[in-house]
Amino acid sequence: MVLTATGPGQSPASKSKRTTKMTREQFRQWLDKIDLNDDGFISWNELYAALLVLGLKFKTWKVWRAMRKIDLNHNHVIDIGKERDLLVEYAEALGYYTG
């Protein structure tokens, strides 16, 4: 599944006639939006909620796997900086957006 860039007010998973593949920068901006409490970290619940909106299958496993690979300091959140960059690279490797 490739995330798509859409018009204002649409989720990335909306089936719109005018969708284009999301770029790396758009994916980074989308990550900022899934930080629901604006603390600068992406928690397990925030990442799960984002995948839920996208309608992806196996959300629990995908979030568990991403956190296990990306949470380098094991504080159960994805931090700004190195961990966020790893999440972007991980999503690109899985084909969730175009580089």
Side-chain angles (χ1 to χ4, degrees):
M1 174 184 182
V2 175
L3 299 178
T4 55
T6 58
Q10 294 177 324
S11 72
S14 295
K15 293 180 180 176
S16 172
K17 293 180 181 178
R18 297 182 184 186
T19 60
T20 58
K21 290 182 181 177
M22 188 179 283
T23 65
R24 176 181 276 244
E25 185 56 36
Q26 289 170 325
F27 183 77
R28 284 181 178 278
Q29 291 170 357
W30 180 74
L31 283 179
D32 292 337
K33 291 177 186 174
I34 68 170
D35 178 16
L36 299 176
N37 59 0
D38 292 324
D39 63 354
F41 305 108
I42 298 174
S43 69
W44 194 98
N45 289 332
E46 289 170 333
L47 191 54
Y48 183 88
L51 297 183
L52 185 67
V53 168
L54 295 176
L56 297 181
K57 295 181 180 182
F58 310 110
K59 294 170 284 300
T60 301
W61 183 84
K62 288 177 181 179
V63 172
W64 175 83
R65 184 73 175 148
M67 293 299 275
R68 186 162 171 103
K69 286 182 151 277
I70 295 165
D71 184 18
L72 301 176
N73 58 3
H74 307 291
N75 64 348
H76 306 287
V77 293
I78 297 171
D79 302 325
I80 297 173
K82 177 78 172 160
E83 290 181 359
R84 179 94 40 124
D85 293 341
L86 287 173
L87 180 58
V88 171
E89 291 171 14
Y90 182 67
E92 183 177 19
L94 293 176
Y96 288 130
Y97 72 93
T98 59

